[in-house]
Amino acid sequence: MRIGELARLTGVSTRLLRYYEEQGLLRPDRTAAGYREYGEQDTVRVWQIRSLLAAGLSTRIIAELLPCATGPVPVLEACPELLATLHDELADLDSRIEDLSRSRRALSHYLATARDSGHGHDYGEGRAA
């Protein structure tokens, strides 16, 4: 199938499919005329990529994990570096969550302090000051 059909089947734009190819996530065959030719397995591969992106993984990490992926959801089989890579990504995510939580607590404190100071300003939540 050509790129347009793969885009239609997966709901992913042709531009994004070309980006996935640039990142090494898709490897379509080429016709004699140079057109990309995708197989049925590429439909599953795109769903795998989308699922892993939704989990917050970068295309660099996804490229490492795809050889371990089976099925459209995907299920990740225990490849050699898989557990270490996922553990590192989870630790990084936990660290970013803690940083954001700390920032949120500080901002919440500043907002409460500004409200309590009674200077007549209304800095309602969700509005820019």
Side-chain angles (χ1 to χ4, degrees):
M1 82 183 91
R2 298 268 171 86
I3 194 168
E5 186 176 353
L6 182 61
R8 184 183 57 75
L9 287 173
T10 60
V12 174
S13 72
T14 57
R15 181 174 179 258
L16 200 49
L17 292 173
R18 284 192 281 284
Y19 173 74
Y20 293 164
E21 182 181 355
E22 289 172 12
Q23 298 301 305
L25 304 177
L26 289 175
R27 293 185 180 93
D29 293 328
R30 294 286 183 152
T31 67
Y35 292 107
R36 291 170 178 85
E37 192 68 33
Y38 296 94
E40 292 300 318
Q41 75 280 2
D42 291 311
T43 303
V44 172
R45 179 56 50 109
V46 171
W47 291 330
Q48 292 170 342
I49 293 165
R50 300 301 295 165
S51 292
L52 293 168
L53 285 168
L57 298 173
S58 69
T59 55
R60 181 186 60 78
I61 297 295
I62 292 171
E64 293 177 30
L65 298 181
L66 280 176
C68 304
T70 60
V73 173
V75 173
L76 297 175
E77 297 175 3
C79 293
E81 290 89 23
L82 173 69
L83 294 177
T85 298
L86 291 178
H87 184 270
D88 290 348
E89 287 298 305
L90 187 58
D92 182 56
L93 187 58
D94 286 341
S95 176
R96 287 186 284 159
I97 288 170
E98 181 56 36
D99 289 345
L100 286 170
S101 294
R102 196 173 15 261
S103 295
R104 188 187 190 291
R105 285 189 300 272
L107 185 56
S108 180
H109 171 76
Y110 290 132
L111 182 59
T113 302
R115 283 185 180 151
D116 292 343
S117 69
H119 287 97
H121 298 287
D122 182 10
Y123 296 110
E125 284 189 23
R127 295 191 331 192

